[in-house]
Amino acid sequence: MSILLIIVHVVVCIALIMIVLLQTGKGADIGAAFGGGSSQTLFGSTGASTFLSKATTVAAIVFMLTSLTLAYVSSNRPGKSSIMTDGKPPATQTAPVPEGAPGGGGNATPGAGTPQTPPAPEAVPRN
């Protein structure tokens, strides 16, 4: 069902782009903007609606309907609503400990993973 909607949506998108690009703009008659006699209304003369303007309206309505339907279908998928529905904590990734470091591999001594206190500084005699 959703694949069919996606195909219809893409076809309507391409059709809408082509229909809009085929139309001439309202500013095509630039002489009307500078006081030409053909335009006596505020937004220019609008005549009867052409086939392209009706096709644009239909394509825009279908585009909006398929967009809304795809959004509804994708939000109501059972079991796929969120990636955090498992209830398991996220896996943590630990960095490898170099050999010879406390808690590292190799010749580890017992208790090497516990923190050690640094040796106390020696007193330096003053002359």
Side-chain angles (χ1 to χ4, degrees):
M1 173 72 178
S2 64
I3 293 176
L4 178 67
L5 280 173
I6 291 171
I7 291 171
V8 169
H9 187 71
V10 169
V11 168
V12 169
C13 289
I14 293 170
L16 189 60
I17 291 169
M18 298 304 290
I19 292 169
V20 168
L21 289 176
L22 284 174
Q23 293 182 19
T24 58
K26 286 193 174 190
D29 188 16
I30 196 70
F34 297 106
S38 65
S39 174
Q40 296 298 323
T41 60
L42 182 62
F43 295 111
S45 59
T46 57
S49 58
T50 63
F51 170 74
L52 287 177
S53 65
K54 290 180 183 179
T56 304
T57 304
V58 170
I61 291 171
V62 173
F63 174 79
M64 291 302 294
L65 289 176
T66 56
S67 296
L68 291 173
T69 307
L70 283 170
Y72 178 77
V73 167
S74 69
S75 68
N76 287 334
R77 282 189 176 174
K80 302 232 180 190
S81 61
S82 175
I83 60 171
M84 299 299 289
T85 57
D86 293 344
K88 298 177 188 173
T92 57
Q93 188 175 19
T94 58
V97 178
E99 188 149 341
N107 299 329
T109 58
T114 59
Q116 298 176 356
T117 57
E122 296 180 15
V124 179
R126 294 190 179 192
N127 292 339

